[in-house]
Amino acid sequence: MTGHAQDTPAGAAQPRRAYYFTGGFLTNRRVRRILELAGHDLALGKPGADDDVLVWGHSPYAARGEKAAEATGAHVVRVEDAFLRSLHPGRSGEPPLGLTIDRRGAWFDSRQPSELEHLLATHPLDDTALLDRARDAIARMRENHLTKYAAVDPSLAAPPPGYVLVIDQTMGDASIRLGGASDRTFREMLVLAQEENPGARIVIKTHPETSGGHRSGHYDDGDTSDRISLCTDPLSPWVLMEGATAVYTVSSQLGFEAILAGHRPQVFGQPFYAGWGLTEDLNPIGRRKRRLTRAQMVAGALILYPRWYDPYRDRLCGLEDVLATLEAEARAWRQDRRGYVALGMRAWKRGPLQKVFAANGPALRFEDAPDRAVARERPVMVWAGKETDALREACNRADLPLLRVEDGFLRSRGLGAELIPPLSLVLDDLGIYYDPTRASRLEQMIAEAAELPPERLRRAERLTHALTSTGVSKYNLPGNATLPDPGGREVVLVPGQVEDDASIRLGAGAICTNLALLKTARDLHPDAFLLYKPHPDVEAGLRSGAVSPDDLSLLADHVATRADPMALIAQADRVVTMTSLMGFEALLRGVPVTVTGAPFYAGWGLTQDLGPVPARRRARPSLAALAHAALISYPRYHDPVTGRPCPVEVVVERLASGTIPSPAIRLRALAKLQGWFAGHAWLWRR
């Protein structure tokens, strides 16, 4: 998906028959599937000496398997959730995105070396590509606020910086007992945190399962004071780490993430990340002598050790794919968890919007009047072209966010005007990408992407390669691209547009018709082979923008009707456009672009700009940075197969392969009926 297959941990076993004695291995389909893909032939019955017995860590039920293994000579294999598990804890019923499958022990049991400890102690961990991946993973986790349970909200206000962070865990957690600590250790840790930091504020971060009311922690309201407070909100650990002057932990995974955030935590237990020179260990493990960097720790613990799972393709995968999956899931949860009220949405759009924006939050509410929408006291969603001054003022008075919705740049296999639901949508709280008269969230993202280091742009480079190799574009319409012989002349592609489209009204400038664009292109390139591509909505008779046959014969050398736009771009030497997305798609494919208007991709130094572009576009992003902002950061993607938020790479593969369910016929009938009523509203007013 993003360029890395499943990584093989050191010491991985050959496939063997694996017996189990715990119901979870039978009922949890995701866990069974990951184990099967990892080469374990799951079975019930009595194991033999050459077989494995799977147990879940050191859970109370593990004893059944341990006894069976002891009686038969089978080998115990301990299974646990991986370190980036899911949005919510397992008690929510959400399956894991990965497992650790350990033939030596459990990574949280310090009494003997686990496979992870053996890997960290013996693997060279010196491969440049591996360590670059690890550093990129740290940057992505920080940027996207990813943690073991990623249902955290970075927008929540953190305590004023300058506090000492003390990390709680759930009572009875095996990592405490088997990590050289006890419940008493938490009392000692809190006392020492106060003694070593006289006068400092203490913030205790509770475990998500404690905050959710599932399991008790070691601290409660009785431990608070003027100096000590509990943090029970789903605040991002990365935000908490940023404001902390010191971090204290027993064996929590947040201690590992504190290392990645640049801290050197005080560790009171013996977790997997202690003893490698990255922590202050109050209970050191003598056998751990090696000194590791943060990147080496991540390479071992997150890249080489776990078995990661791709839920979209039902296969094992690399860490990068899991990061992309969790980024998509977390973004949807963070944006949608409070719900929306959608204003003025046509009936056929409501189902698709509900699927995209209510998968991780309350069902959308639909209203047709601004006052009723605002009365819902939720963020207000409106199709970008339907925004009004009255709605904007109503949201401002009520202090409610106003979010403009539009199709993304990789939309569907088929036209929106033909009621094909979109696979990508954008939500913009500042403006909208096609309106250069004001700033948009995409503009801000492009400027930010210009500052990204090269390693952070490799995903965008791989994505661009996937787009160019598969020919995927916004609508992915079938068509031929057979052209007459241009006779050695420069081929200039002129994409037509819908002339009453908002991007033309707001961003085209003086040249705002297809005829005017053709005349400009001919003036600029009098000797070129001028290739005109009508917009598919115009060709289908659904929108305005047709050019008369006489004008076409006078100005264009060839009119590419019902042609594959990506195949045309591949044959072009230059594209001349007003604001068409084909200009962006041409840039991605290395074709020079002349722009007469001010589309989102103009004004950054990547195009020849003939029209006025906003002066605020001062950044000079690379092409990869532009692609990162426009295709990765800005849109939301929805997988039509699994029905879940997904990374852009999944949508590219779905569009390339055509594995997309067709829209229901009833949607077309509903839209036509709604259109008829809208056109005959006068009947009901008589």
Side-chain angles (χ1 to χ4, degrees):
M1 181 164 90
T2 54
H4 297 287
Q6 165 67 30
D7 301 282
T8 303
Q14 295 298 314
R16 290 173 58 157
R17 190 161 49 187
Y19 289 82
Y20 59 92
F21 299 86
T22 303
F25 290 115
L26 176 65
T27 59
N28 193 312
R29 288 185 294 176
R30 174 71 63 80
V31 168
R32 286 182 64 88
R33 185 58 178 152
I34 297 174
L35 290 168
E36 290 167 355
L37 291 169
H40 298 277
D41 183 11
L42 273 66
L44 291 170
K46 183 179 179 181
D50 293 330
D51 297 324
D52 289 339
V53 172
L54 300 176
V55 299
W56 193 264
H58 281 278
S59 72
Y61 305 105
R64 301 173 186 171
E66 291 167 352
K67 289 178 181 178
E70 184 178 358
T72 61
H75 190 87
V76 174
V77 177
R78 300 194 186 273
V79 181
E80 265 286 351
D81 291 329
F83 302 122
L84 292 169
R85 185 194 185 279
S86 53
L87 276 179
H88 305 283
R91 290 177 182 270
S92 68
E94 191 173 346
L97 287 170
L99 298 174
T100 64
I101 306 170
D102 202 310
R103 301 184 61 80
R104 294 174 181 268
W107 51 263
F108 53 82
D109 182 0
S110 63
R111 296 173 302 176
Q112 64 185 34
S114 65
E115 207 163 272
L116 174 57
E117 181 176 333
H118 180 74
L119 188 155
L120 293 174
T122 63
H123 194 288
L125 297 174
D126 60 356
D127 180 74
T128 299
L130 176 66
L131 297 180
D132 283 346
R133 291 175 61 193
R135 283 185 280 267
D136 183 55
I138 296 171
R140 287 179 69 173
M141 289 175 66
R142 179 194 295 268
E143 179 182 325
N144 296 285
H145 299 270
L146 301 183
T147 180
K148 184 174 184 178
Y149 308 120
V152 298
D153 190 346
S155 69
L156 294 176
Y163 49 83
V164 172
L165 183 62
V166 173
I167 301 169
D168 196 8
Q169 295 172 244
T170 56
M171 295 278 285
D173 189 85
S175 73
I176 301 170
R177 175 174 53 87
L178 301 177
S182 66
D183 293 343
R184 181 178 176 180
T185 308
F186 286 84
R187 293 290 148 200
E188 296 170 350
M189 177 170 65
L190 183 58
V191 169
L192 195 60
Q194 295 175 76
E195 289 179 351
E196 291 184 343
N197 302 274
R201 288 174 291 118
I202 309 293
V203 173
I204 300 173
K205 179 66 181 81
T206 59
H207 192 278
E209 288 195 282
T210 303
S211 301
H214 301 299
R215 298 174 66 182
S216 298
H218 297 85
Y219 308 111
D220 55 30
D221 290 336
D223 296 293
T224 62
S225 65
D226 292 341
R227 185 181 175 191
I228 302 174
S229 61
L230 291 179
C231 177
T232 59
D233 293 332
L235 192 67
S236 165
W238 296 89
V239 173
L240 274 177
M241 302 297 181
E242 186 175 345
T245 58
V247 177
Y248 288 70
T249 184
V250 174
S251 58
S252 170
Q253 186 181 312
L254 287 189
F256 170 59
E257 292 167 10
I259 294 171
L260 307 191
H263 284 279
R264 188 179 179 88
Q266 297 264 22
V267 179
F268 288 71
Q270 296 176 330
F272 73 88
Y273 53 83
W276 309 104
L278 297 168
T279 53
E280 294 292 340
D281 302 321
L282 280 76
N283 189 7
I285 304 169
R287 64 178 181 268
R288 297 182 185 173
K289 304 292 187 182
R290 190 179 186 186
R291 292 297 173 260
L292 300 175
T293 65
R294 287 199 298 271
Q296 288 175 317
M297 175 69 73
V298 169
L302 295 184
I303 296 178
L304 298 177
Y305 180 54
R307 291 292 202 275
W308 296 116
Y309 178 72
D310 179 348
Y312 308 105
R313 298 169 186 77
D314 185 32
R315 69 187 185 193
L316 297 182
C317 64
L319 172 63
E320 289 78 5
D321 292 345
V322 169
L323 290 173
T325 298
L326 206 52
E327 286 165 4
E329 293 275 3
R331 179 181 180 184
W333 180 84
R334 291 163 190 170
Q335 291 184 346
D336 303 346
R337 70 190 187 101
R338 294 181 177 87
Y340 305 96
V341 55
L343 181 68
M345 297 295 176
R346 297 186 64 186
W348 80 268
K349 290 183 177 180
R350 296 186 179 189
L353 288 173
Q354 199 76 260
K355 287 181 181 179
V356 174
F357 294 113
N360 288 280
L364 268 67
R365 300 290 187 178
F366 295 98
E367 295 290 355
D368 292 319
D371 56 342
R372 290 201 296 270
V374 170
R376 293 281 188 181
E377 297 183 341
R378 290 182 176 186
V380 177
M381 177 187 295
V382 64
W383 208 260
K386 303 296 184 182
E387 179 186 0
T388 64
D389 292 340
L391 175 61
R392 209 161 38 244
E393 291 167 4
C395 290
N396 287 338
R397 285 195 302 270
D399 195 24
L400 290 172
L402 176 59
L403 303 165
R404 300 142 191 95
V405 191
E406 256 297 345
D407 292 334
F409 306 128
L410 298 171
R411 188 195 184 280
S412 54
R413 290 183 70 88
L415 302 174
E418 293 181 346
L419 310 189
I420 307 295
L423 303 186
S424 68
L425 290 163
V426 303
L427 281 181
D428 201 311
D429 58 331
L430 296 179
I432 194 64
Y433 68 85
Y434 58 72
D435 181 4
T437 65
R438 56 179 169 172
S440 70
R441 182 59 62 183
L442 177 55
E443 274 192 355
Q444 186 177 94
M445 289 176 170
I446 293 171
E448 291 170 353
E451 303 300 321
L452 290 175
E455 58 269 19
R456 296 289 292 112
L457 297 175
R458 287 181 186 135
R459 181 184 177 192
E461 292 168 352
R462 291 192 295 268
L463 174 61
T464 300
H465 176 73
L467 290 171
T468 56
S469 62
T470 60
V472 166
S473 61
K474 183 172 184 177
Y475 294 117
N476 303 283
L477 298 170
N480 64 73
T482 303
L483 302 182
D485 183 2
R489 290 182 290 167
E490 178 188 31
V491 177
V492 175
L493 174 60
V494 181
Q497 294 184 243
V498 175
E499 291 181 351
D500 61 357
D501 190 75
S503 71
I504 297 295
R505 290 187 287 103
L506 297 169
I511 299 170
C512 57
T513 66
N514 292 322
L515 179 57
L517 178 65
L518 276 166
K519 290 179 178 178
T520 301
R522 178 53 75 197
D523 290 342
L524 291 171
H525 304 279
D527 300 322
F529 181 87
L530 214 61
L531 172 62
Y532 180 64
K533 168 69 176 75
H535 191 280
D537 278 345
V538 176
E539 280 188 296
L542 301 171
R543 304 287 295 276
S544 65
V547 180
S548 73
D550 290 343
D551 287 325
L552 287 175
S553 64
L554 182 65
L555 294 168
D557 293 284
H558 181 69
V559 179
T561 56
R562 290 172 173 79
D564 177 359
M566 298 307 103
L568 296 179
I569 288 174
Q571 300 176 74
D573 297 300
R574 177 170 289 275
V575 170
V576 178
T577 181
M578 292 183 284
T579 63
S580 172
L581 187 66
M582 282 184 67
F584 174 61
E585 292 169 328
L587 286 178
L588 295 181
R589 289 156 177 82
V591 178
V593 176
T594 299
V595 180
T596 64
F600 72 87
Y601 54 85
W604 307 104
L606 299 170
T607 54
Q608 180 185 11
D609 301 323
L610 302 184
V613 292
R616 61 182 176 270
R617 298 183 185 177
R618 300 187 187 92
R620 287 295 174 262
S622 64
L623 184 58
L626 179 68
H628 193 286
L631 297 176
I632 296 174
S633 300
Y634 190 49
R636 289 259 302 263
Y637 295 94
H638 177 76
D639 179 22
V641 176
T642 63
R644 299 298 301 168
C646 69
V648 58
E649 292 86 359
V650 172
V651 162
V652 171
E653 289 192 19
R654 300 290 193 230
L655 291 172
S657 65
T659 53
I660 299 172
S662 299
I665 294 176
R666 62 184 178 84
L667 278 182
R668 299 175 184 269
L670 178 62
K672 288 180 179 179
L673 184 62
Q674 185 181 20
W676 187 91
F677 277 114
H680 293 77
W682 59 273
L683 287 173
W684 316 111
R685 294 194 294 266
R686 294 182 65 179

